[in-house]
Amino acid sequence: MTNTSRRTLLKWALGAGQFALLERAGLLGSSAARAADIDVPSRLAVLYIPGGYRPAYYFTPMDDADIPLCVPAPSKYSGEPVFFDAGEVVNLAPPNGSYKPLRTWQSWNPANPAERDDFSPLMYGFSHFALHEQLSVLHGIDQGTNDHASAFIASMCGVAGADYRAPAVHSVIANHLFEKYRESRPLPFVVVTGERGTPLGMGLPSHASPVRVPSIEALKPQLSAKPEDNPWWTGLDARTEAPELDARGQPTGGTLKTTTVERFSLARAQQLMGRSTAKVDNYLEGLHGSLSSVSRVLATDVVSVLQSTKGIDFLTANRPAYLANYLKNQSFTYSFGPANFHLTGLDSRMDLALRLLKSDICTSVHVSLQLDFDTHNASGHGYSCAHGRGLMDCVARFLGELKAAPAPGKPGKTLLDDTLVLVMSEFGRSWASRGRDGTYSLPDDHHPYTSVCFAGGNVAANRQVGSYTSRGLGVPVDIIEENGQPSRRVPRAADAVTTALRIMGMSTHDFFIPGGYGEVTGIRRA
């Protein structure tokens, strides 16, 4: 999605509304799916690791006896320790119920977590920020495909395929919460970066479609109200606030600040309603809703709001001691060896995502975490272990920043309490296997089974649900199917999406995923 002018943004939004109507006329608005005032998160952040990752190197669900069958012997990658023995795997906290607790390789020195050389601080962040309190991982999810594009779509909406057959989870949530937050969140769904693709709101209104915001600077030509940013807009953007009317001229209960041109365009739909068929009226309602959404976005000085909001704040004011031996001018960084590798460039993405969440101007945020894991080489396992644990520690810092920030409008709650954070990739990668002679085969290709991390509000504490066989296949878990019946089977992508939507307070009747879906039990807080 390219950056556009205000005029193009308006045209795009109207076109998106037409497409949504053509795709699914029955899902034109979110009024039927108003968010209930219950104690569930009100926003979503998806942190996406491109290329297919190996999550068992980060959170290890296998039994100790199976670990040496599929985890190579300890060695180094670019000067960084990689791989581990079963005896080095530790619990982050005592078990929560009958589920396995979060377990990870203790690669750090407990006496001095910042120490490097023969140790690695990476993954210590989950202990440092006590993230087990609001974190569970679902393992062994069958994506139903080995193709990157198809698997990306499966991760986003729950159904693998060349095209979306259901809207992305971000769009479903943005649409579900739109009526509740229409006055305060002018950008319901924002994509900061998306190297492997952009999640799409197939079949939903334009307010649930993604808007790409790679930087605050990129927003200025579209949304800045400052004359120095858009001098040609001066004199054309005078707005008058009035009660918002729907396409039939009935009050929606909200208000809308419109320009003269916008008021004229919105009124035209009212004049044309009832002149033709019900399908045409539905079409006009969709166009009217699209224009109202765009008007609300343009009326908000989003640029100034984001500029005045601190993104990376806690991590700079209270830099964790375990990061002492990494780059001092970066918060989301790590290094291998004396100077073999330094991660840079992730700060800008994470900072913008944090600004969007802290400023409370959006509901859903999607961020791709820069490094691509589609290695296809002999060092692929070492790369996945070292860089995967590095990126996961950056995820821990992101969660720590949310945990330190207050939730806007919710006294006593943190931003992590009010956010569901999903960490995922499109699929896994080939598993290592130990031969009879004790050597390891290290294939490096696509693998259809993967894991998703669930963190934040309404998430059960300290659980690993599901697991893998020593060959990397998923195992059956307890699931409540869409019809309410219990079952036990290997989880699918649709089940991971359903579980996220249930954590957000939606019932299985508030959405539809082709092919069947259910909620995996144990992830949502009881």
Side-chain angles (χ1 to χ4, degrees), residues 245-250 260-277 280-281 284-285 287-288:
L245 305 178
D246 63 19
R248 298 181 184 275
Q250 299 301 310
T260 301
V261 174
E262 289 168 353
R263 287 192 295 275
F264 173 82
S265 301
L266 290 167
R268 286 293 293 162
Q270 299 171 18
Q271 299 166 13
L272 297 172
M273 291 290 290
R275 291 190 179 185
S276 186
T277 65
V280 171
D281 284 352
L284 290 170
E285 286 179 340
L287 292 177
H288 184 277

Side-chain angles (χ1 to χ4, degrees), residues 269-446:
Q270 299 171 18
Q271 299 166 13
L272 297 172
M273 291 290 290
R275 291 190 179 185
S276 186
T277 65
K279 288 185 178 181
V280 171
D281 284 352
N282 285 339
Y283 188 81
L284 290 170
E285 286 179 340
L287 292 177
H288 184 277
S290 298
L291 179 55
S292 296
S293 297
V294 173
S295 177
R296 179 170 283 103
V297 171
L298 296 179
T300 303
D301 190 2
V302 172
V303 172
S304 294
V305 171
L306 290 175
Q307 286 177 328
S308 63
T309 302
K310 288 186 177 180
I312 302 173
D313 185 16
F314 175 78
L315 290 173
T316 53
N318 301 276
R319 186 177 175 89
Y322 82 94
L323 302 178
N325 294 321
Y326 294 139
L327 296 176
K328 301 296 189 294
N329 63 343
Q330 304 275 313
S331 294
F332 295 94
T333 184
Y334 55 87
S335 301
F336 296 160
N340 296 346
F341 173 84
H342 298 295
L343 178 70
T344 59
L346 191 55
D347 272 31
S348 59
R349 302 180 183 211
M350 299 302 236
D351 179 72
L352 182 54
L354 289 166
R355 287 173 187 251
L356 288 163
L357 294 169
K358 290 182 178 183
S359 64
D360 201 26
I361 63 172
C362 70
T363 295
S364 297
V365 179
H366 179 92
V367 187
S368 179
L369 297 188
Q370 189 172 337
L371 295 180
D372 197 297
F373 283 64
D374 192 29
T375 42
H376 292 283
N377 61 47
S379 301
H381 281 262
Y383 183 101
S384 288
C385 185
H387 284 291
R389 291 174 66 86
L391 284 187
M392 289 301 293
D393 198 80
C394 290
V395 167
R397 297 170 219 170
F398 182 88
L399 299 177
E401 183 75 49
L402 293 181
K403 193 172 182 178
K410 296 190 175 182
K413 288 190 174 294
T414 71
L415 192 52
L416 185 59
D417 294 331
D418 197 40
T419 306
L420 171 62
V421 181
L422 302 179
V423 186
M424 62 175 69
S425 188
E426 61 261 38
F427 43 46
R429 300 196 69 78
S430 307
W431 279 54
S433 60
R434 187 180 69 180
R436 292 182 178 180
D437 62 355
T439 62
Y440 285 86
S441 173
L442 301 175
D444 187 23
D445 209 339
H446 306 169

Side-chain angles (χ1 to χ4, degrees), residues 74-85:
S75 61
K76 287 198 172 185
Y77 171 87
S78 192
E80 180 74 0
V82 292
F83 311 135
F84 48 91
D85 296 324

